[in-house]
Amino acid sequence: MDQKYQSSSLDVGSPTLEALYNDLDMFINELSVNTNSDTRTETTFSKRCNKDITPLNLDKNMDEERHYVDESPGYSPVLENYTRFSTATDNSKPTIAVVNRSSSTCSNTSLPPTAPISPSFLRVGGGGGGGDYFRQTNKDDYVFTTRSSSLNRTTSSATGKSILSPKMLFSNPTSPLAFETVHEKEFPNQALLSFISSNFINEVARLNQRRKIFCTDEYPLSFNGEEATDIIRSFIPAGLGSSGYLDIAQCLMYCKPPLIVPIAYSEKSLRKNKIYNSINEIYTLVEETLDIEDEIQGVYTPLTRCYSVSCLPGQPNCYSSCCPNKSSSDDQSVKQPTVSIVSSTSHDTAVSRAWSASVAKDILKAMPSHEISRQEAIHELIYTEDDYVRDLKILDQVTFSIEKTKQKDFAKELLNSQCIEESRKKEFHDKVVNNYQEILAIHDNLYKELRDYQAVCQANSRIGLIDKIGDIFLRHIHAFMDVYLKYGPHVVLAEYAAKIESETNMVFKHFIKTKEQLAQCRRLPFRHFIILPVTRLQRYSLLLDAVRKKTPEENPDKVYLGQCIEIIKEIAGQMDKETLVTKNTLRILEIDARIRYKPNEHHQLDLTKPGRKLIFEGNMTRKSHLVVETIELHVFLFDHLLLMTKAKKSAIRDGDVEYVISKIPIPMELLHVQEATEGFSIGLRNMSSTYNSSTATSTMLSSTSPFGASFPILLQHLGRRGADYMLYAENAATRIEWKEKIVQAKANKEMADMDKRIFEIRSLSDTTFAGSNYQSNTHNHGKVTCTVPFVGATGIRMIAIGTQHGIWMGIEGDTNTISHVLSISDVQQIAVLEDHHVFLVLSDKTLYAYALDSLVPTDSRKVSVDKPHQKVAQHISFFHSGVCNGRTIVIAMKKRGVDSNFKVLEPICGDLRNPKNSKFFHKSGLFNKMPSWFKSYMEFYIGTESYAIHFLKARVVVVCARGFEIINLEELHKNRNLPDATNSDFAFVTERGDDLRPLGMYRCREHYLLCYNAFAFMVNVHGGLVRETPLIEWEGVPQSVAFYYPYVIGFDPRFIEVRNVETGELVQILAGTHMRCLQFINQTLAPVIHGCMAHPFKSDFQYVFQLMGTFEPPL
């Protein structure tokens, strides 16, 4: 019989069928052990000869309550006529297929038409009490099961031997059939991660109960890499090797959510995000994962059973190419399966994500290549959108959200760790992640619609071709503009804020580092998730364009995609423009962090003010005082100041630099550049006008020097604390660029401060009066010393200008009408008595009075010869005329020794324009003299040097060395001096000594403003200091002052300084050369302020101007 089976088995072409024949032969031999002595077991040959087989009834079912249901019948042609085990009807007695011993031929006993059953589902039931190998005393101790791999048996990590359960496992060494006597729940599927993780968690808990290591207190569920592999070996079958057990542990780290993470002390594992079989690398269980009610879902494929029910471990020639029961030597050409975790939430990048990988090859061959490319592009767009949304959700989960979100653990951990102060936590959160939640909401909806449409296409077509996606994008893309323009430009500042916080806050640094090690972050730095929306937006145009290029012209999706691309490019372009602004802000923040001050020196740079801009920066050089050393400077031009620094290596960060402030920062208002910014004072704010108007270049700014070629720039820091700095650029182009940038910065500053343009310069004389260096005598009329406005006989406003060589008159504002009207030397001061039409001239210390109309030119070709005038007083240093206490008077000061004698004169000539007063023009009497135009009203003196006189309403103020003498002309004994030197409140005045010089005193509403050449302050009507108002400290050193409420104007030789008397704020700077005040008339409504300076573009001429207020004077 054996020979017949073997010979017949050789005729079978399939190795699998041959193996099944062998199994059947062994199976029937085993059946013979338990059969009665009068029965014979039919051989496989008789079965193959279609002999009738009588099924034997089992004495007991597998389950007392229900029959065994065979869901996988395991059909085999070899056992075609075997009866299905589930069809057994007699449970009192086991049955098996047998034939009559006396039968010499195969009989054809009919059997119920049931599907055959594989031998793997058969078992032997012994009813006798013999002592054979398979006999059992208790029939309930075993059940039928499918044959299984040896990997399903529990092994000991120490001995490698199988651990038998209380229900004994019987197996015939000569047969591959396994008759297992255990219940299914005692041998679960060991390939499931739920089984692996639960056993691992229990073993780790037991491990930490019986031993402690250095980090047990901090991490109560900690273990090293060697312990991890030993734990897994204890409940996973032997034979995997150390690398196999380590791979299983690695899966527990990569699953989602992760079960294992390295602790903070395991630098190597943190850096590589990997488990090492080492006692030096420590790991711990993730408490957040342990708190999740649902078990970890996934499958570790190397531990799975083969799907062929007839396959056993070590069995050769299994038709499955990836059979886990095969040894590596069976088929060297078959690659080993890759370890992967398959779950609903995992993202396995090892699997090809190409669209063609999911389509049958025969279908791909029949499709046009352009359609394949189009579907690949659409598929890439969809799955990258999925990646984008996933990463945005990771940002949502991992970021330290202050608001209550679904991921409360991270926020709670942040609050517990106190890595950011409570006072600035919300502000810092908004600064770093900005409006990412708005972006997430938009793209989450976009991806869901793309995914749903993809599913619809797959349901409607076996291939799943997607016809269009552009219309879906159009429905969402219009929402991109606002959210991306808010997020994109802000990214560079968010990166910087997180970087600086990490450098200065170690707790925050550790917090971010811990989050970066999470498995879902894929070892990507926190920066990746911050900049992700920016990079994704830039990539959209490429992805959409790739689809558009492969889309046929007749497809409407081509138009939709084109519209989407245009919108994306518009958003990206606008975002790039706004990013330039934030990059400028970032550079300012970096500069501010690197600024260093000299010892005992600090400057208020105000670089971090919102809206601050960096206009230009670069390297320049300057010479030392002895011109023997070249000093390298790094110069920054901001929108509010210019900063000169010395760059040096940072002592804190390797490869970084620090900027040590070299000179006092120059405020933009006080910055003046020769041959660049001269026109700003007269309203010309561009360099082209400067260069076009310049007739020569300063010798100092020549491009050559004794040291070779040089390109100097003269920077002037106006004011008492400033200086002139000669810097040298690298080349001529750089010098021009620096000048242009400075002009641009000053112009931008003025445009930004339009409300601070309080005064404008109005030209009174442009090129009428040449300077002292002018070579020709045509316009050389001497230095302009004084001016006065008046109204001519025709009612036209006129102006008189006094110089060292005479008097000039003309129409106010019309330079061409100015003409010479009086030749008189050394004119120091002029004035007009409007009511009397008397023109006063102080020339060579002699005070003269002229009839005003006789000086006014009526025809430019004719000059009146007859000029009635009188000599009023001699040896006069200065005079002042005006109305005081309702009386028109002229006060002239004559110096006698250290005393100042004042003579008060009152006009008695009446209006000289009135013909009735013509008698004052005719000479008469014994000495043939004209009647006197003035009479002496009174005289007084003060015992110190005096500088000027001002009229109050009923008092006269004498500005003298002691301060301000208040004179009551009606009661001279009631005179008083301000400020009171005995009052300690004015100690700051008396301490200055002789360096302090008073300039003027003016009524300022209910107080009085006292002006000195260093500062100005308020006093009340009783002479006490008004503390509520600020002390005004001048930037320059004014030589004279003027007052136009609420502003006080100081005339420094190089600029005019305008200050607000109520706040002390520096409002305006008007730069120039040889600045001086020519006339100040303190009228009630609009004071008259005349000045003179060197012409901005024609330095050989004197420029006479009037300060015109651009504001409406308060009542």
Side-chain angles (χ1 to χ4, degrees), residues 396-397 399 401-409 411 436-437:
D396 185 37
Q397 296 169 5
T399 51
S401 178
I402 308 304
E403 302 172 357
K404 294 183 178 180
T405 63
K406 296 181 180 179
Q407 301 293 334
K408 296 182 180 179
D409 293 335
Y436 75 96
Q437 290 179 334

Side-chain angles (χ1 to χ4, degrees), residues 55-325:
L56 299 178
N57 292 329
L58 294 175
D59 56 349
K60 187 178 177 67
N61 288 334
M62 289 185 299
D63 194 329
E64 295 180 356
E65 296 179 3
R66 61 182 178 88
H67 293 293
Y68 176 81
V69 178
D70 180 19
E71 296 179 355
S72 302
Y75 174 79
S76 175
V78 182
L79 305 177
E80 182 176 1
N81 292 326
Y82 273 90
T83 303
R84 181 185 293 269
F85 178 74
S86 60
T87 61
T89 58
D90 186 2
N91 294 335
S92 63
K93 190 174 184 180
T95 62
I96 194 167
V98 295
V99 295
N100 194 308
R101 297 177 57 185
S102 61
S103 301
S104 59
T105 61
C106 298
S107 61
N108 295 327
T109 304
S110 61
L111 295 175
T114 59
I117 186 168
S118 171
S120 298
F121 286 85
L122 300 179
R123 57 148 290 185
V124 176
D132 59 40
Y133 182 80
F134 291 95
R135 181 165 296 134
Q136 304 293 329
T137 59
N138 188 358
K139 299 173 183 177
D140 296 335
D141 288 343
Y142 49 86
V143 295
F144 280 93
T145 65
T146 62
R147 70 177 73 178
S148 62
S149 169
S150 62
L151 292 177
N152 292 333
R153 302 190 184 99
T154 306
T155 60
S156 170
S157 62
T159 64
K161 297 180 179 181
S162 299
I163 302 175
L164 297 178
S165 64
K167 303 288 185 176
M168 299 302 295
L169 175 67
F170 295 95
S171 176
N172 188 344
T174 64
S175 172
L177 294 176
F179 308 106
E180 299 180 0
T181 62
V182 295
H183 296 289
E184 184 179 359
K185 65 179 181 179
E186 297 183 14
F187 279 87
N189 192 342
Q190 295 169 337
L192 299 179
L193 287 186
S194 58
F195 168 79
I196 298 174
S197 61
S198 60
N199 282 272
F200 189 84
I201 293 170
N202 295 333
E203 292 299 327
V204 169
R206 296 189 188 100
L207 175 66
N208 282 273
Q209 289 177 356
R210 66 174 182 264
R211 72 98 178 92
K212 288 189 176 181
I213 57 179
F214 72 97
C215 62
T216 301
D217 293 336
E218 185 177 0
Y219 301 97
L221 295 176
S222 58
F223 52 90
N224 60 42
E226 189 175 281
E227 291 172 339
T229 56
D230 290 341
I231 289 173
I232 295 176
R233 186 182 289 112
S234 67
F235 59 83
I236 295 297
L240 293 181
S242 299
S243 60
Y245 299 118
L246 196 62
D247 286 341
I248 297 176
Q250 196 73 51
C251 289
L252 298 179
M253 174 181 283
Y254 289 159
C255 66
K256 185 173 183 180
L259 180 63
I260 300 175
V261 294
I263 67 173
Y265 308 109
S266 300
E267 293 291 339
K268 181 179 179 182
S269 298
L270 285 172
R271 185 172 61 254
K272 299 293 185 179
N273 194 25
K274 186 178 180 181
I275 292 182
Y276 293 91
N277 189 8
S278 170
I279 60 174
N280 298 323
E281 294 295 313
I282 311 299
Y283 309 88
T284 186
L285 299 181
V286 180
E287 295 182 3
E288 291 80 357
T289 306
L290 300 179
D291 295 338
I292 298 176
E293 295 181 0
D294 298 335
E295 293 181 335
I296 296 176
Q297 302 296 322
V299 177
Y300 184 72
T301 55
L303 294 183
T304 56
R305 303 168 183 172
C306 181
Y307 56 81
S308 174
V309 296
S310 63
C311 178
L312 293 176
Q315 175 180 309
N317 301 325
C318 180
Y319 58 83
S320 173
S321 61
C322 297
C323 176
N325 293 329

